[in-house]
């Protein structure tokens, strides 16, 4: 039996980690609902992990976060509290959890690029304030557990993640999978593509396989590091630029129409990876955005319509 337990193992990042490190135990919500303290304890009792990678979360895009903030708050608070409490109770040697750059303060309270010590410096952006506060509390809980119980932990902060096995639900998915699906379906229906916002926001995008490598680096190599660290690429791309790249990759030559009445989220939130590099991470090993998007589009083409979030999927 493996001594590494991965919560959220059936999701996009979990699947990327499984490719790199297949021998861990990968959990899905079907086996244990981590909102339940009893089921979380059962998971730890049954698997007795020495190492935990905590990925499980209710995850959504701008619209899901703004329509259901209370659900995002409650479910993610319960999952995180249960998992960190069990890491303490079952003497886990090290836990690496995934946060998100949405934890950072909105622009008027932040200095760019975003550095880790700014996390609690002001309120997060209104569009996902509930999810962002819960991610902040995961850092607070981990830090408190270190102080009181000596828990060894790292909170990794990724920016936008994309890759294989993403969620292509149009209401709840993130920007890259939503654009891939819309472009592909528009191509086949010979229609225009309608995208949310005006396409001007700038974002950093990191492929899930790079996130998986970064998590293992923090789990195995930097075992003496306790704290939070940005782990994503630091190259910004406008949503418009990403849409054009995806359209090219999927062979779509129709119109892309921007619906400025739909939410766009923050204009930009560039992150600093200086701390990660200081820890020994090689920044030039990230997949380029072109190669990463090609992989993501190829995976989608090969699996459509049997992909998460598409109605007639398997
Ligand atoms: P996915 O939505 O692909 O996967 C979420 C995972 O969490 C699934 O394995 C899901 O299980 C599991 N899960 C959800 N609810 C529960 C529950 N109640 N009990 C047990 N397991 C549960 O997410 P990603 O892989 O994209 O995200 C992984 C982590 O990265 C998350 O913590 C997320 O907040 C963070 N992150 C993601 C970003 C992104 O762009 N995708 C950006 C920044 C951070 P099941 O398959 O059974 O539903």
């Amino acid at each position: 039996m493996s001594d590494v337990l991965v919560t959220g193992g059936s999701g996009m990042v979990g699947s990327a980690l499984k490719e790199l490190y297949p021998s861990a135990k990968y959990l899905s919500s079907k086996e244990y609902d981590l909102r339940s303290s009893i089921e979380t304890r059962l998971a730890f009792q049954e698997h007795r992990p020495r190492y935990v990678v905590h990925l499980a979360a209710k995850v959504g895009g701008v619209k899901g976060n703004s329509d259901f903030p209370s659900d995002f708050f409650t479910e993610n608070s319960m999952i995180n509290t249960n998992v960190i409490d069990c890491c303490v109770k079952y003497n886990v040697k090290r836990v690496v959890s995934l946060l998100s750059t949405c934890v950072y303060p909105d622009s008027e309270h932040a200095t760019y690029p975003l550095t880790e010590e700014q996390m609690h410096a002001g309120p997060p952006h209104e569009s996902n304030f509930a999810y962002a506060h819960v991610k902040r509390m995961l850092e607070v809980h981990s830090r408190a557990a270190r102080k009181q119980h000596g828990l060894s932990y790292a909170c990794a902060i990724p920016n936008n993640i994309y890759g294989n096995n993403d969620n292509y639900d149009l209401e709840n998915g993130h920007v890259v999978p939503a654009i891939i699906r819309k472009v592909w379906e528009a191509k086949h229906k010979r229609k225009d593509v309608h995208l949310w916002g005006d396409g001007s926001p700038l974002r950093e995008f990191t492929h899930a396989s790079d996130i998986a490598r970064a998590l293992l680096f923090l789990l195995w190599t930097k075992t003496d590091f306790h704290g939070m660290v940005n782990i994503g690429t630091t190259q910004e791309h406008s949503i418009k630029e990403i849409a054009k790249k995806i359209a090219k990759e999927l062979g779509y030559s129709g119109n892309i129409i921007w619906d400025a009445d739909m939410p766009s989220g923050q204009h930009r939130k560039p992150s600093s990876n200086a701390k990660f590099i200081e820890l020994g991470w090689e920044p030039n090993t990230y997949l380029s955005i072109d190669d990463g998007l090609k992989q993501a589009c190829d995976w989608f083409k090969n699996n459509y319509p049997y992909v998460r979030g598409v109605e007639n999927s398997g």
Side-chain angles (χ1 to χ4, degrees):
M1 188 188 281
S2 170
D3 57 2
V4 181
L5 185 71
V6 180
T7 73
S10 52
M12 174 175 61
V13 177
S15 323
L17 191 56
K18 199 171 187 176
E19 292 236 324
L20 267 189
Y21 191 76
S23 63
K25 172 66 192 168
Y26 289 84
L27 299 185
S28 81
S29 66
K30 278 99 200 156
E31 292 161 279
Y32 305 96
D33 184 341
L34 301 176
R35 291 173 300 182
S36 150
S37 58
I38 293 171
E39 290 195 28
T40 309
R41 255 183 273 142
L42 262 180
F44 277 72
Q45 269 164 18
E46 279 170 21
H47 299 290
R48 293 280 167 182
R50 283 159 58 83
Y51 301 91
V52 170
V53 179
H54 174 39
L55 308 175
K58 178 178 173 62
V59 179
V62 177
K63 187 147 190 334
N65 268 284
S66 62
D67 288 354
F68 308 106
S70 183
D71 292 352
F72 277 86
F73 186 88
T74 309
E75 295 187 28
N76 287 324
S77 304
M78 293 196 286
I79 292 172
N80 294 341
T81 303
N82 291 334
V83 169
I84 298 301
D85 278 350
C86 277
C87 287
V88 170
K89 191 173 165 58
Y90 292 92
N91 293 318
V92 163
K93 277 186 72 125
R94 184 156 174 82
V95 53
V96 177
S97 304
L98 211 47
L99 272 54
S100 160
T101 48
C102 73
V103 294
Y104 285 118
D106 197 5
S107 48
E108 67 262 37
H109 307 283
T111 310
Y112 292 150
L114 295 159
T115 46
E116 293 79 357
E117 68 279 2
Q118 296 186 59
M119 183 191 289
H120 301 285
H125 191 261
E126 188 57 23
S127 59
N128 52 17
F129 72 97
Y131 174 83
H133 275 296
V134 177
K135 287 288 191 190
R136 285 185 183 186
M137 289 310 110
L138 175 53
E139 184 276 327
V140 170
H141 191 177
S142 306
R143 187 155 36 103
R146 166 125 197 103
K147 187 163 185 218
Q148 189 178 337
H149 304 287
L151 181 72
S152 172
Y153 79 97
C155 287
I157 307 176
N159 36 46
N160 285 268
I161 311 172
Y162 69 101
N164 304 349
N165 200 31
D166 210 333
N167 182 0
Y168 299 90
D169 183 297
L170 295 179
E171 292 282 309
N172 262 316
H174 285 101
V175 60
V176 169
I179 296 177
I180 290 178
R181 175 176 172 186
K182 285 182 177 179
V183 167
W184 185 249
E185 291 181 346
K187 175 179 162 166
H188 288 277
K189 291 176 186 155
R190 296 173 189 277
K191 286 190 166 167
D192 293 338
V193 174
H194 292 262
L195 298 179
W196 289 356
D198 64 7
S200 68
L202 299 173
R203 292 288 182 271
E204 300 158 328
F205 297 90
T206 307
H207 195 270
S209 59
D210 288 326
I211 297 296
R213 285 192 306 114
L215 291 168
L216 291 179
F217 174 77
L218 289 170
L219 189 68
W220 300 129
T221 313
K222 296 313 295 182
T223 49
D224 54 346
F225 170 74
H226 309 286
M228 47 186 164
V229 60
N230 293 331
I231 59 166
T233 65
T234 53
Q235 200 168 8
E236 289 182 290
H237 302 275
S238 73
I239 305 296
K240 219 171 233 176
E241 186 190 342
I242 294 296
K244 275 191 197 150
K245 285 179 187 293
I246 290 172
K248 187 167 170 234
E249 200 53 59
L250 294 176
Y252 173 75
S253 50
N255 297 315
I256 296 181
I257 293 159
W258 295 92
D259 182 355
D261 291 337
M262 294 306 280
S264 286
Q266 270 165 284
H267 180 61
R268 64 186 290 247
K269 39 182 183 177
S271 59
S272 160
N273 62 4
K275 187 170 176 181
F276 203 30
I277 292 169
E278 230 171 80
L279 290 178
W281 179 256
E282 283 290 338
N284 52 9
T285 58
Y286 288 112
L287 261 187
S288 70
I289 188 76
D290 289 332
D291 290 347
L293 285 177
K294 180 174 173 14
Q295 274 196 27
C297 289
D298 285 349
W299 186 90
F300 181 83
K301 281 193 282 189
N302 292 335
N303 289 282
Y304 185 88
Y306 303 106
V307 296
R308 222 167 10 134
V310 173
E311 245 169 50
N312 53 346
S313 64

